[in-house]
Amino acid sequence: MADIRLEGVGHSYDGGRTWALKPMTWTWRSGRAYALLGPSGCGKTTLLNIISGLLTPTTGRIWFDDREMTAVPTAGRDIAQVFQFPVLYEEMSVYDNLAFPLRNRKYPKAEVDRRVRQVSGMLGLDDHLRRRSRRLDPGRQQIVSLGRGLVRSGVAAVLLDEPLTVVDPAMKWTLRSTLKEIHRDTGHTFVYVTHDQTEALTFADEVVVVKDGEIVQAGEPTELFLSPAHEFVGHFIGSPGMNVLPAEVSDGVVSVGRAAVGRAVGDLPPGPVRIGIRPEFAVLDSAGSTPGVAGRVTGVDRMGSYDLVHVLVNGHDGPPPAERDGQTGQTGQTGQTGQTRQDGQDRQGGRAGQGGRAGQGGRVGHSLVVKTDAGTRFEPGDAGFVRFAADRAYLFRDAVRCGTVAALNGAPGEPEAHAPEDRVSRSGEA
Ligand SMILES: Nc1ncnc2c1ncn2[C@@H]1O[C@H](COP(=O)(O)OP(=O)(O)O)[C@@H](O)[C@H]1O
Ligand SMILES: [Mg+2]
């Protein structure tokens, strides 16, 4: 096993016109469980195929520790890769499929048998070992493919490309914990590709978030949740994602409209910013004794174990007027929840729900979601004040985090909140 280091690695499928993977420098540390998380088309498969050697990058070099592997073909890299859909010999038995990668590498017969039975036991395939693979349903076939990827010892890494897509949802949870166990037992480096945040967060020690061919943030699940470094991470991780509103920094104070919401921490010049606050860290009060943004409740989603309160804020001194026709009074308006998590930047000032301007006339404002305990007493039409938990609201410029919002009356000279060290460097940046 080795650290796998990508040095300025990038890939273009069209002769350099566009980058499916923008040149990046990044190290997969030996023995760690990574999730590679991002929407469809962001370059996840391209990245895996470059690591395994199925694809030669347009630019950059690949190292396994201090051995350069850029020109080494797949077979010489000792990497196990599991694809999204079953890849197996349909006419062979399940046993022979699992044994294949081992026999191919001349493992002794007894060792082949031992390893096949071990993997088959862990993946629940014992009752199927003698069956021909063709006769299994696609979900079970995929589990056999997974087994083929896990059966070898001492591989440099196990790459899993959305491996549970065709597996029955009920089995996914079980398999995910099995994979975690296998990771613990083998100590292999795992890179698990998914577009599903739950899968990523439950599986990985470290989640690497990719957008448009570049890594926008990597960190432990809690770090990504508590401290998104990019608006996209705020949207993509969390349910619902982070609220983002236009705001202004002036004299070190952050305001949403006319309401001062906190002190800007970070060395940031005055001017417009976007403020991001997760639904979990926004608090809705009925009185404005504390600094907050006046708003009006437009809907309440009762989720069972918690409630989501949708609030329209306009940044004026009072809440937006209630609507006469009851249009704002619907529950179930998950404008923010359900909408695109594909894109953090392109909807600035766009749609209602995500900091977009909601409606006209009395409804001008921005909609945000507050997560409360179940049984909130707020009802559609109620006025309220939204407060942002200190040090949990972040400021963004060009979608990248540039500061934190501290309590307005916080002690002067408080230490600055630091962004987690950015371990990604992208070539092309000075
Ligand atoms: N063989 C290919 N030829 C041309 N374009 C490709 C090819 N494979 C992927 N792409 C493009 O590269 C981008 C990244 O694709 P991919 O790595 O498959 O993303 P993901 O796995 O995250 O869905 C996409 O825009 C996709 O259309
Ligand atoms: Mg893919």
Side-chain angles (χ1 to χ4, degrees):
M1 288 196 298
D3 282 354
I4 298 175
R5 177 171 164 77
L6 309 177
E7 194 183 278
V9 164
H11 194 74
S12 171
Y13 289 102
D14 54 14
R17 214 166 51 79
T18 61
W19 292 95
L21 200 65
K22 295 177 187 152
M24 62 168 72
T25 293
W26 172 256
T27 301
W28 306 95
R29 286 195 283 132
S30 178
R32 243 169 124 67
Y34 292 94
L36 189 56
L37 176 68
S40 176
C42 71
K44 304 180 297 294
T45 297
T46 303
L47 184 50
L48 281 204
N49 289 344
I50 286 174
I51 297 171
S52 66
L54 288 176
L55 195 63
T56 305
T58 312
T59 181
R61 306 205 290 174
I62 300 157
W63 301 83
F64 287 8
D65 285 336
D66 50 7
R67 273 189 307 151
E68 181 169 2
M69 304 300 275
T70 319
V72 175
T74 309
R77 296 198 187 186
D78 226 359
I79 284 198
Q81 191 167 4
V82 177
F83 302 91
Q84 200 169 1
F85 300 101
V87 177
L88 36 67
Y89 297 99
E90 293 207 325
E91 295 309 316
M92 278 187 193
S93 68
V94 169
Y95 186 102
D96 288 340
N97 264 293
L98 293 176
F100 191 87
L102 302 173
R103 290 178 178 149
N104 208 19
R105 287 173 183 78
K106 310 276 187 280
Y107 280 58
K109 196 160 179 252
E111 179 67 1
V112 170
D113 191 61
R114 196 184 65 77
R115 301 198 71 91
V116 167
R117 289 185 188 281
Q118 191 183 18
V119 163
S120 143
M122 285 189 296
L123 296 179
L125 292 170
D126 286 352
D127 294 341
H128 306 278
L129 282 177
R130 294 288 147 215
R131 293 181 76 187
R132 216 178 272 190
S133 303
R134 179 162 56 82
R135 307 189 73 86
L136 304 176
D137 64 71
R140 190 87 60 192
Q141 287 181 344
Q142 179 65 6
I143 296 172
V144 178
S145 298
L146 196 57
R148 284 164 54 97
L150 298 169
V151 77
R152 285 160 60 197
S153 60
V155 292
V158 181
L159 311 180
L160 305 147
D161 196 350
E162 314 211 28
L164 304 182
T165 307
V166 294
V167 173
D168 178 50
M171 282 218 61
K172 277 189 184 176
W173 282 99
T174 322
L175 282 170
R176 226 156 37 218
S177 9
T178 308
L179 281 172
K180 264 194 104 121
E181 269 170 50
I182 294 175
H183 171 257
R184 263 197 307 270
D185 290 351
T186 60
H188 288 152
T189 311
F190 272 55
V191 183
Y192 184 109
V193 167
T194 178
H195 61 264
D196 177 335
Q197 57 160 322
T198 312
E199 263 183 42
L201 300 177
T202 51
F203 174 77
D205 302 327
E206 183 167 350
V207 180
V208 179
V209 183
V210 181
K211 176 181 189 289
D212 298 337
E214 63 186 315
I215 296 175
V216 291
Q217 190 176 6
E220 290 176 7
T222 11
E223 190 181 331
L224 297 187
F225 180 79
L226 292 179
S227 186
H230 192 283
E231 281 187 27
F232 176 74
V233 176
H235 297 307
F236 204 69
I237 288 177
S239 179
M242 185 175 71
N243 298 295
V244 182
L245 305 168
E248 187 84 19
V249 174
S250 156
D251 293 331
V253 172
V254 184
S255 308
V256 173
R258 270 184 255 159
V261 296
R263 214 156 39 79
V265 179
D267 183 22
L268 67 174
V273 287
R274 280 156 64 78
I275 184 168
I277 179 78
R278 289 203 177 275
E280 288 81 357
F281 302 122
V283 181
L284 185 60
D285 286 329
S286 35
S289 58
T290 42
V293 185
R296 189 166 300 278
V297 174
T298 58
V300 178
D301 299 332
R302 311 257 174 209
M303 308 299 288
S305 56
Y306 59 90
D307 291 339
L308 295 176
V309 185
H310 298 261
V311 185
L312 185 71
V313 300
N314 61 7
H316 297 315
D317 299 329
E323 288 210 346
R324 287 154 303 163
D325 56 11
Q327 274 187 8
T328 53
Q330 303 157 357
T331 50
Q333 284 186 343
T334 47
Q336 178 140 1
T337 331
Q339 76 174 272
T340 171
R341 340 185 96 233
Q342 306 279 318
D343 178 287
Q345 288 164 299
D346 299 341
R347 46 186 162 137
Q348 303 180 6
R351 304 158 222 178
Q354 185 57 72
R357 300 173 89 72
Q360 346 129 324
R363 288 213 66 191
V364 170
H366 298 274
S367 182
L368 53 81
V369 185
V370 178
K371 199 168 182 174
T372 69
D373 290 341
T376 177
R377 62 200 154 72
F378 283 99
E379 297 285 347
D382 289 351
F385 279 82
V386 183
R387 278 186 296 119
F388 300 162
D391 305 316
R392 285 289 169 243
Y394 296 106
L395 302 175
F396 298 89
R397 275 188 176 139
D398 296 328
V400 176
R401 193 169 83 209
C402 61
T404 304
V405 184
L408 206 50
N409 48 5
E414 241 172 62
E416 272 192 16
H418 281 289
E421 210 170 289
D422 187 3
R423 272 170 288 137
V424 189
S425 71
R426 299 163 200 99
S427 66
E429 276 180 9

